[in-house]
Amino acid sequence: MILLRCVACFVLVIVISSCAPMPAGILLDTEQTPSDVLLEHLRERAARVKSLNGRGIVSFDTPEISGSASFEANMKKPDSLLVLLEGPLGIDVGTLFLSREKFVVYNSLDNTVMTGNPDNARIRSLIPINLSYDQIMDAFSGIVPAPADGDTIRAYTIADDQFFLETTCGEHHCKFWIDPKYVMVTRYEMRNASDAIVMEAKLSAFTTEAHASIPKRITITMPQESRRVTIAYRSLNVNPPDTDFRYRIPSNARILISESGQ
């Protein structure tokens, strides 16, 4: 009787385990998983991330400035991002709001606000690393966009237990390392014609919620310019039911850039 009970308990554990949701990856085989199938899965997995909110640490290391700050981020794809920055002891440092129509950057330390049209030139003047609007959005969501349909595949193989894909990307060539379990990019390189790295991204500590996966640590490096930014989430909610984009700018804040950019 005891033996039968043990067997029954073992079977029950197996049944429960088989019913539990498991991350559904793809077979790590370039013949069984052709490049077009991999890219289709990659785009589909990236599209699952609709929104997020989280807290963590953002760090900059550049020739002009090095340091870190706590942050709270709210994002709703494809075009809304609010980042609230805090210094030691919870002191407000600043606010970044980004959308397709405008950006707002508030520096609470000197009570100044910059606002305007989020063209690439303006975005580059706001942060100490050369990222476009879309790259900032991708950095906080931990998404590396899949190669475009017109990009030529130069190599497709297996490396370090991951898919390795090399493609053309405009005047550069790009390299992707893709995890077969999460079907997400874990490392990305953009290289110039001399094969020097222009930009590198490393993504790790993946978490899965609401059938979507996202890395909790994102590091972007531009080695030729000696610039690096790291976003490290301590807590993260993927596809929450609500995201909060409310922020407050004091009425006496000094305006550095008007809405028209004047």
Side-chain angles (χ1 to χ4, degrees), residues 112-140:
T112 57
V113 60
M114 294 184 288
T115 178
N117 222 331
D119 58 83
N120 287 357
R122 293 240 176 92
I123 290 297
R124 286 196 293 268
S125 72
L126 303 177
I127 59 175
I129 187 167
N130 187 4
L131 296 177
S132 68
Y133 168 90
D134 290 308
Q135 288 170 332
I136 294 173
M137 298 289 289
D138 292 337
F140 275 92

Side-chain angles (χ1 to χ4, degrees), residues 121-170:
R122 293 240 176 92
I123 290 297
R124 286 196 293 268
S125 72
L126 303 177
I127 59 175
I129 187 167
N130 187 4
L131 296 177
S132 68
Y133 168 90
D134 290 308
Q135 288 170 332
I136 294 173
M137 298 289 289
D138 292 337
F140 275 92
S141 62
I143 301 296
V144 175
D149 291 334
D151 295 341
T152 301
I153 295 178
R154 302 174 54 164
Y156 180 49
T157 185
I158 304 298
D160 301 325
D161 295 324
Q162 297 183 90
F163 291 103
F164 171 76
L165 189 68
E166 183 176 2
T167 72
T168 60
C169 47

Side-chain angles (χ1 to χ4, degrees), residues 209-231:
E209 294 181 20
H211 306 291
S213 298
I214 188 171
K216 298 179 72 173
R217 185 176 181 86
I218 303 101
T219 298
I220 299 174
T221 306
M222 295 181 173
Q224 295 180 346
E225 303 175 11
S226 299
R227 299 178 185 275
R228 175 181 294 125
V229 59
T230 298
I231 299 168

